[in-house]
Amino acid sequence: MVDLFTYPPVLKGFIVLIITGFAFPITGVYLLRMNLLPLRFMLMHGAILGGALSLAMSINPFGGTLVINLLLVLLMTWMSRSLKADPGQLSAFFMVVSISVAFIFIYRFQVPAKDTLSLMWGSLYTLNSFEFIGTLVFSLLLIIFQAQYRHQLRAVFFDSDVARTAGVNETGFYYGIILITAVTVAAAMKLIGALLLDALLLLPALIASYHAKSYKGMVLWSSFWGGLFATVGFLLSLAFDLPASSTIAVFAALVFLILILTQKK
Amino acid sequence: MEHSLVLFQNEKQIFFSDEHWLYPLFEVEQFLGERSISPNELFLRDKIAGKAAAALIVKLGIRNCFIELLSERAIPVFKKYGVNYSYQKLVDHIQCRTEDLITDKMTLEETYLFLRKRAGKVQGVSLKINSLSVDIAGKQILDNLELDLGRGEQLVVQGENGSGKTTLIRSILGLIPSINGSITIGEEVVGSSGWQKNRVQTGYLNQETIKNNFPITAAEVVAIGLSSQKLPETERAYRVELAMRKTGSFHLMSKLFHQLSGGEKQRVSLARCLCQNARLLLLDEPTSYLDEKGREELCELLVDLSKNEAPTMLLVSHDSNWTDRLKWQGKILKGGKLW
């Protein structure tokens, strides 16, 4: 199995997965606390639109997905805050619009649907240099963001009104969190796929929320579980010749199940 | 005597001041507070003293004094509390508005707090509302509302559900973007850049401070009051501890906030406001989720707070039985106005 690491795509995939495994669950904490779960579904559909557009225009699907997702979250957040529209309903609206426009592009430009839908299950071993470095840099920035603004983030997560009266720029942090979520989802989709990205984002944060005794503990435990799932899942996939993304997701789900059942007892 | 006030310890001069009015006595209070000196060893010489100065001298614990110009109104105070006094000249009263404002009904504690407020020696900041009107969804909630609350004063606003109590609080907090009229906290108009910079001077205690069981400890909740301040971690921890001790919630430090009782949550939230160093406290129906014990504890805590740090406090509630116990001045919010 060690020999496999001599192959650059495997080594690159392993490095990026470990780093994101520790970093991306931080976004999972944001998603859970800010109740942004509907946003995640919208971003998955946005990714298909981004992929279809990119393939139709012969540009990098990762970049296209990122741009479309950023536009969608900004539009949705602006509409929900300015027009007082329900974020869940807006997410559903943009989901439908995204997937409809995506299929129009697929049909009109004769984009192979299989290539677009490959985004749904990720492609860890096909990272190019831009995607590899970009994902690593973003992961480090995410960790720095969390460390630098942990006090302000804690206030925003606790209560938005209280955060404002404590002098925190709550609106700025809200938009920041939304943008970070969009980039994380786009990156995680490339690594592990749209359908399985929750294994890297949400499951670690969910598990941490069951046993963490503080906000600080919640962030650290989420990061720990994410790193563990990524490392063990990846090594198991190599050992048993299984797809990395599915192995990580199954391992994370098993740990989640065991912890839930243990806690009930 | 050259100085306006001189303090001796066993005939040795240890402090003097050239300030006017009651400020030299407040300086003595600070001076003594930083040292361990027995008041029995002290002798005070003051240029002029009336009823207000006499009350402060008593509060400082000083037993012996000489006053150059003494008001007759000060003598009953000295006699009542056993202060040995002598004077150079006795007058029936001195030209001082403060002396006129102290009534015989006021206790020593009430007089002391009153004088601290007049001297600006309280944490509170003034709140002034001019012609405040707020429309929400086409309905006029507040209509040319006026309010003037001095530094360290407390006010209870009562009103029926839907009368606009929470809207009033949220307007003062700057959480309602479109209002007519003006709200001034200290020197800053709500919404201005100066207010934005000093936003932490307003603390907010709402009805229910957390909506789910997100894991966050009581100490972390208190530390939220320091969120926008750059402080070393040791200083941050010290301030959190201090605030929690003041509100009797120190023992709850490492407990999960959502597992606390209603009364404990309000203690912790009050500690958050103290940690923030809030000079104006806005309390929105703070007893909503409290049992009788919790209500009693909160009442004691607020009364203590009004006597010690004395932030300006505005409390809205429909619970008149409870607010009567606070013995704060009260107003009714009806028809969008305060009566």
Side-chain angles (χ1 to χ4, degrees), chain A residues 29 32-33 148 150-152 154-155 157-168 208-209 212-218, chain B residues 170 173 175 199-200 202 204 206 208-212 214-217 220-221 223-225 227-228 233 236 256-257 272 276:
Chain A
V29 176
L32 270 188
R33 185 57 198 146
Q148 182 70 24
R150 61 192 184 283
H151 300 304
Q152 291 91 333
R154 176 173 60 193
F157 296 153
F158 179 71
D159 185 303
S160 57
D161 288 344
V162 168
R164 285 185 212 175
T165 59
V168 175
S209 74
K213 301 287 182 213
S214 65
Y215 160 75
K216 186 181 174 184
M218 170 95 179
Chain B
R170 292 182 68 79
L173 286 167
L175 296 175
R199 205 166 178 177
V200 289
T202 308
Y204 177 41
N206 51 5
E208 195 178 356
T209 42
I210 193 161
K211 278 94 184 168
N212 61 32
F214 186 72
I216 183 164
T217 63
E220 286 179 328
V221 170
I224 285 173
S227 295
S228 60
E233 286 303 318
R236 199 176 287 272
L256 283 172
F257 185 75
R272 169 177 56 75
Q276 187 174 318

Side-chain angles (χ1 to χ4, degrees), chain A residues 183-196:
Chain A
V183 179
T184 309
V185 168
M189 235 178 294
K190 173 70 183 175
L191 300 178
I192 193 168
L195 296 176
L196 301 171

Side-chain angles (χ1 to χ4, degrees), chain A residues 27-42:
Chain A
T27 311
V29 176
Y30 301 168
L31 279 167
L32 270 188
R33 185 57 198 146
M34 304 287 281
N35 202 16
L36 295 172
L37 299 184
L39 184 79
R40 193 172 102 268
F41 294 115
M42 183 191 79

